[in-house]
Amino acid sequence: MSEHDTAPGGPDGGAGPDRSARLTVWAPEGLGEVRPGDDLAALVGDLLASEALAEGDVVVVTSKVVSKAEGRVVAAADREQAITDETVRVVATRERPGQPPLRIVENRLGLVMAAAGVDASNTPEGTVLLLPLDPDASARGLRGALRERFGLDRLGVVVTDTSGRAWRDGLVDIGIGAAGVVVAEDLRGGVDSHGRPLSVTVTAVVDEVAAASELVRGKAAGRPVAVVRGLGRYVGSEDGPGARVLVRGSGDDLFREGSAEAYARGQADARRDQEGDAAREAAYADGYRAGFAEGYREGSGNEPVAD
């Protein structure tokens, strides 16, 4: 199943969405604190044992509990170093009086976000959380265990994290890991309700699933797991490519640098150009003087001219 396929066997046999276009999202409570080394699949399975999961359901899990189970916990004293270690490219920085600078960076997963996704919320005092090493692999592992436990073929799993967005205030949850779910629905080549051709529309399905689940999970309610029902047309029997395919490549990134960084680079380039021009002019003048003196010594008859 590719990120642009429509999964077969949806609620109406794969012919499209339910006629009622109904979506149900809920978040059971009772998972409890997850610690490094815990069997997260077993904990989530126990939590959902009474939820009557069905074919086509999507289980949504926050990256925080995945990170905790996978031991991605470091001492808070190392937060700034942790951000540096997780960074592959600095996009923008902003100084903050009395605080460490705000850093928008690209992390090891290719995600561009504040502080490389290093998080100090919903974690024990004195620690911070790093994102999972491979959220797509984490989603595949959870999906495999949950499918086996509940005897389901078409079950999706999405791992989420909270992120800001350029040009918009506020935060939303996005899908950073996925398995069994169509990651993006490509509508290009189709037509809208008035028959006009669609040429740019690609819907980020897993991000919309993540955002919907956050509305019922909340940030401080202790509900890191949710179930989304009604999207069976996007859920298949194969793991699929994962959420990594949603990371925009550098060739399509029109805003690869922050404005401050671009301005500083422009100044540096201008200084190098000016220095280069000055060096070339100096070299030309030196060469002219040397050539003139040589000609004079050879008896050209030309009188040397002072600069």
Side-chain angles (χ1 to χ4, degrees):
M1 183 176 66
S2 76
E3 68 271 28
H4 302 317
D5 290 337
T6 298
D12 57 356
D18 285 325
R19 289 182 177 85
S20 61
R22 179 178 300 171
L23 185 69
T24 305
V25 187
W26 72 95
E29 61 180 353
L31 183 66
E33 182 65 25
V34 176
R35 295 177 175 81
D38 282 350
D39 185 340
L40 185 61
L43 294 176
V44 173
D46 291 345
L47 179 70
L48 300 178
S50 62
E51 298 299 322
L53 292 182
E55 296 284 354
D57 283 350
V58 180
V59 176
V60 184
V61 183
T62 67
S63 62
K64 286 185 175 64
V65 294
V66 175
S67 293
K68 289 177 181 179
E70 294 179 355
R72 299 283 286 160
V73 184
V74 298
D78 295 332
R79 183 172 189 269
E80 292 305 307
Q81 185 59 47
I83 295 171
T84 299
D85 292 342
E86 293 295 298
T87 296
V88 298
R89 179 173 63 92
V90 176
V91 176
T93 60
R94 175 170 293 178
E95 296 296 329
R96 299 181 294 178
Q99 301 182 66
L102 173 64
R103 290 186 274 176
I104 307 298
V105 305
E106 177 185 340
N107 64 24
R108 296 176 185 275
L109 301 173
L111 301 170
V112 175
M113 52 178 47
V118 177
D119 198 344
S121 64
N122 292 314
T123 185
E125 188 68 27
T127 65
V128 295
L129 294 173
L130 312 181
L131 290 177
L133 284 173
D134 187 343
D136 285 327
S138 301
R140 291 192 295 269
L142 277 171
R143 179 175 183 262
L146 294 176
R147 287 175 72 202
E148 182 176 356
R149 175 162 180 169
F150 295 106
L152 299 173
D153 179 40
R154 294 186 306 103
L155 182 71
V157 170
V158 174
V159 177
T160 75
D161 192 48
T162 304
S163 178
R165 299 152 298 153
W167 309 296
R168 299 283 289 181
D169 283 333
L171 304 172
V172 297
D173 267 29
I174 62 173
I176 65 170
V181 184
V182 172
V183 175
E185 183 177 29
D186 192 346
L187 300 177
R188 294 172 296 185
V191 296
D192 66 12
S193 59
H194 295 278
R196 299 186 184 93
L198 297 173
S199 58
V200 298
T201 304
V202 180
T203 303
V205 175
V206 296
D207 286 351
E208 294 187 323
V209 170
S213 75
E214 201 279 326
L215 291 174
V216 296
R217 288 187 289 101
K219 291 299 179 190
R223 292 185 173 93
V225 179
V227 180
V228 179
R229 177 169 294 169
L231 297 177
R233 65 190 183 278
Y234 295 121
V235 182
S237 58
E238 302 297 326
D239 283 334
R244 186 65 184 255
V245 299
L246 286 181
V247 175
R248 178 168 290 171
S250 60
D252 295 324
D253 187 352
L254 300 182
F255 306 96
R256 192 158 177 80
E257 286 183 307
S259 57
E261 286 70 27
Y263 184 72
R265 183 172 59 80
Q267 283 188 319
D269 288 347
R271 283 195 297 270
R272 283 194 294 271
D273 288 344
Q274 291 171 353
E275 293 167 356
D277 289 343
R280 284 189 291 272
E281 290 175 3
Y284 177 81
D286 290 343
Y288 178 82
R289 285 192 293 269
F292 186 84
E294 181 69 21
Y296 181 76
R297 284 194 298 272
E298 292 178 358
S300 64
N302 294 326
E303 294 292 331
V305 179
D307 290 340

